[in-house]
Amino acid sequence: GLFVTDYFTRTPRKLSPFRSFASIELFHFHIPEDTVIAVWNLITFKEQGGTFGDQCPDRSITVYFRSGAPSVINPLHTHFPRDTAVPGSFALTLTWTLPNRTTGVFNVTSPLPGDWFLAAHLPKDEGKISVKVKGLGLYEECQYLFQPQLIVQRLVNIAVLYPGHVTEQSMAPHNRSCLYKVFVPSYTSRVLVEVLQCRGAEGCPLWLRVRAKAPPLHNSTALDCREHAPCQLVLDLPFWQHWYYVLVEKHPGVPGTISFQVIVQLTDCSRPSLARPPFLPSSASMNMPHSFGSAGGLALGDSPPPASPNGTKHPVPIVSPADERCWPIRPTLRNELDTFSVHFYIFFGPNVSVPPDRPAVFVINLLPVLDSGGVLNLELRLNVSSLCGENVTVFGCLNHEVPLTSGDNSSVTCETESLAGFLLSVNATASLSRLRIPYPQTGSWYLSLRSLCATEHGFEPCTNVTAEVYLRTYLSPCINDCGIYGQCKLLRTNNYLYAACECKAGWNGWGCTDNAEAFSYGFQLLSTLLLCLSNVMFVPPVAIAVRSHYLLEAAVYIFTMFFSTFYHACDQPGIVVFCIMEYDVLQFCDFLGSLMSVWVTVIAMARLQPVVKQASMGRGHVLYLLGAMLLSMALQMDRHGLWNMLGPSLFALGIMAIAWTARTIRRRHCYPPTWKRWAFYLCPGALIAAAAVLLYAFVETEENYFYIHSIWHLLIAGSVGFLLPPRAKPSRRLGPLPRRKGCGYQLCINEQEELGLVDPAVASINSICTS
């Protein structure tokens, strides 16, 4: 056949250590139909400071592959919530072959068409400290970038088989196989593929392979035509609304040309005694696509199917078992409430009557791509009063793309050779059953309910009991909204939306239900009390500020103490939480108060008014107002950046240094002039503040946050008590002193403010009078 190669690529993205599904990077691809091979080229490279990260450590990268929906991964081996079905996926670990770059290849032969999802992440950090000083640019962080590329090779002009129509084929010596495809519409209970009139070799040395959705593989349903006569392959309960691929393969070492005929018969479950007719008035009768996908192909309703090269044979009817029946399928009404919040209502429900002689079948349609990022929930509740004292059990089978309605009513399994579904059961003892499927595949899901009575010989069909079941089906973003120890987050990868839980307080798992590392209630209470009560350390700085007539500074300290206390009471991850207003408001006020406390303290230490004399008495208040506006702007841009703390602090320290330098030059003496001020106040306060900044920048992590941040509160409040300058008394002229004859004018200077004494009441007032 003729092959066409398509190429797809995605933008490189930075990988993160795994903590929850919210920390992975998700990539979405679409594989076209008739693809015979898909090759993913997985490129990973390191970066450090905009250059290749040759010195970065090698960290393994795990990549997950799944068709139809994102992978449900569990690299930390945590427990899933009860009644949760975990879909399977394939995982691949990449190792480094070069210092700064590595590649991996993942091949899929005859992949399923449609959506494919790749998820990638780094291993979880074990004991590593997240240094906040990285944000300053002093340390270049190692970044691991991942870029997947997809190359697909697909066949074009695959021959289409028409149901009930004979196709003749001659296989030349240099050909090894012939590939066909046939469309299977809804309400098809059986597919029969047969090879007839095999000529050209002894014993018909051919293999017949059939597979749904994609070309057959070596392990697909196969039949050796040398050992079976007639060479018929029967598929019960085929997938509806999909292409089935038929591969006729020649045994190796067979010379010459082999001629044969291929016929496909589809059995309509609503008319089990008849096969589907070869010609239909329109394509809608078979729910068939209007275009077969081949070049120059005609719609089924436009003209009869084209004849084979050697002519068209008459259809061969097949005999269907008389006990096959097609039960009516009840639709559900889709009611969209929000993103991934959809309720499926049953007409004349939600109570469903399950008769004893036949199953009740329902269909749930999930929209392509859109509904695969949530959780499909199913709940069955049995009305015990409807059993009339009988030992009745209602079994439910949830299958994808085809209902499992076999003729054997005593079957209690949801699996066949080609199908695997989910089994639910309710009875008088256990009247409630739930099922949760995270990231379900889109398309049609069929729920078959049947009632069976338990006897000594197992389950048998009931006689006159009609069970009543309450059925609830809905789509939700997360499982139980992640509980009280988690937060359900809506994530986005380009145009694809999906939801995942982010757990708190040491809880883990897909639904934040794994308490193996969870914080106890006492630990949560202790951490909350430490973070809240450590703000009481601001009381001494408030008292000192009020006593020294720094009323504006005292108001800022009270503001910081109040909002820091209630912010940390609201910020706790567990159940010990108390919020007096919205969390975002509390966080903003806490951060603003902390920065303003540093700002007003350093500005007060600058003592700007004596430097600029009486002409600029109000400029200190202008700086207070300007600082508040600039800090508010900085916090709105990035509340967690370390520059928000160091930037205003360094700027205020620069103003203080300029003021102190100007005063030192004017007085020709170091300011503050007393060694006691330096030894007992400035140096201890500066050391305490530096220790607080170092703890905040280098030591504080999420694991030690509750006690390191409490120490941060104590140190910052303590440093303010040391650094706040004494009360500034205005310069005043003392009364005239007795003077001797010959003296001229007296100039009295208040030396108390110049010396920077702490307690002006104790210190003596020295006036220097010159004439």
Side-chain angles (χ1 to χ4, degrees), residues 605 660 672 674-691 719 722-723:
M605 293 172 61
W660 283 12
T674 60
W675 65 271
K676 293 182 180 180
R677 183 67 186 170
W678 285 97
F680 296 110
Y681 296 97
L682 295 180
C683 290
L687 291 176
I688 295 174
S719 65
F722 279 94
L723 296 176

Side-chain angles (χ1 to χ4, degrees), residues 323-330 352-362 392-396 404-411 447-453 460-469:
D323 58 352
E324 284 193 28
R325 302 179 64 184
C326 187
W327 308 114
I329 298 178
R330 296 174 59 179
V352 177
S353 296
V354 183
D357 57 340
R358 56 185 175 86
V361 186
F362 304 89
V392 178
T393 301
V394 177
F395 293 94
L404 188 59
T405 55
S406 61
D408 184 10
N409 285 333
S410 62
S411 176
L447 176 65
S448 304
L449 299 177
R450 72 182 72 178
S451 60
L452 300 175
C453 291
E460 295 181 357
C462 298
T463 55
N464 297 321
V465 180
T466 299
E468 186 176 289
V469 178

Side-chain angles (χ1 to χ4, degrees), residues 704-726:
N704 59 22
Y705 174 80
F706 77 97
Y707 59 87
I708 293 297
H709 200 76
S710 301
I711 298 175
W712 151 267
H713 288 165
L714 298 177
L715 294 179
I716 286 295
S719 65
V720 169
F722 279 94
L723 296 176
L724 197 65

Side-chain angles (χ1 to χ4, degrees), residues 218-269:
H218 66 280
N219 58 351
S220 301
T221 304
L223 186 69
D224 190 351
C225 293
R226 290 186 303 184
E227 300 176 359
H228 298 82
C231 186
Q232 292 181 347
L233 193 59
V234 179
L235 302 176
D236 292 321
L237 299 175
F239 294 108
W240 293 353
Q241 297 288 84
H242 284 288
W243 289 100
Y244 266 73
Y245 291 80
V246 178
L247 179 66
V248 180
E249 193 173 13
K250 185 167 57 177
H251 281 263
V254 177
T257 300
I258 299 179
S259 300
F260 57 89
Q261 296 177 346
V262 180
I263 183 173
V264 177
Q265 294 283 4
L266 305 182
T267 304
D268 192 336
C269 65

Side-chain angles (χ1 to χ4, degrees), residues 645-669:
M645 175 62 68
L646 294 183
S649 301
L650 294 177
F651 183 68
L653 287 174
I655 295 177
M656 185 189 70
I658 294 174
W660 283 12
T661 302
R663 187 175 287 108
T664 299
I665 294 175
R666 180 174 60 84
R667 298 185 61 252
R668 296 183 180 180
H669 193 278

Side-chain angles (χ1 to χ4, degrees), residues 524-546:
Q524 296 179 39
L525 182 62
L526 175 62
S527 62
T528 303
L529 291 178
L530 280 177
L531 289 169
C532 294
L533 297 182
S534 59
N535 289 285
V536 180
M537 191 64 183
F538 275 95
V539 173
V542 170
I544 294 174
V546 172

Side-chain angles (χ1 to χ4, degrees), residues 559-560 562-571 577-594 635 639:
F559 179 91
T560 303
F562 177 83
F563 281 102
S564 179
T565 300
F566 287 100
Y567 163 68
H568 288 293
C570 184
D571 185 49
V577 178
F578 178 72
C579 300
I580 62 172
M581 58 183 67
E582 291 185 4
Y583 174 83
D584 190 69
V585 176
L586 290 173
Q587 185 187 65
F588 178 83
C589 293
D590 171 58
F591 286 18
L592 179 62
S594 301
L635 290 177
R639 296 184 185 180

